[in-house]
Amino acid sequence: MIYLTILLLLLGCMVLLDARWKLFLFARPLAAASVLVFGVAFFLIWDVAAIHAGIFLHRDSPLMTGVMLGPQLPLEEGFFLLFLCYQTMILFTAVDRFLRQNRRRGRKTARWQP
């Protein structure tokens, strides 16, 4: 349960960052939601394939809920994948915005220099 709580807190922090600077979900909700759904689905399929190949195995832990989405696939994995995809898109859009703003400032500064 501790791991799920931490994941939910981290997701909440990502939502707050996104809401404050309108980076991803708060900038373009429909497009962002579809990217998140696609990303999570992609990694869930990847996990299922790895479980089927015997690469991923779940071990019981007192830090986890014990709720399983499928064989060897704990509930926390779904939330982790959601967090991973959301965090990645927040970082990507923040860096993209930062670089665009710096380029615009650089052009303005370059125009006024002799």
Side-chain angles (χ1 to χ4, degrees), residues 24 30-40 85 89:
F24 187 57
L30 188 59
S34 62
V35 167
L36 278 178
V37 167
F38 178 78
V40 172
C85 292
M89 293 315 300

Side-chain angles (χ1 to χ4, degrees), residues 10-90:
L10 291 172
L11 272 167
C13 291
M14 290 292 111
V15 170
L16 290 174
L17 286 172
D18 190 9
R20 168 63 178 90
W21 283 288
K22 293 182 181 21
L23 294 167
F24 187 57
L25 275 174
F26 289 86
R28 295 184 58 200
L30 188 59
S34 62
V35 167
L36 278 178
V37 167
F38 178 78
V40 172
F42 174 81
F43 285 114
L44 277 173
I45 291 167
W46 182 320
D47 280 359
V48 168
I51 290 166
H52 184 70
I55 297 169
F56 291 168
L57 297 173
H58 173 71
R59 301 279 193 268
D60 288 333
S61 169
L63 302 176
M64 298 177 74
T65 60
V67 177
M68 304 297 278
L69 298 175
Q72 303 294 319
L73 187 63
L75 172 69
E76 289 83 358
E77 183 68 9
F79 283 97
F80 171 74
L81 294 175
L82 177 62
F83 169 72
L84 179 70
C85 292
Y86 194 31
Q87 177 190 18
T88 300
M89 293 315 300
I90 293 286

Side-chain angles (χ1 to χ4, degrees), residues 23 89-99:
L23 294 167
M89 293 315 300
I90 293 286
L91 288 171
F92 177 83
T93 54
V95 168
D96 182 58
R97 183 180 293 176
F98 176 78
L99 292 175

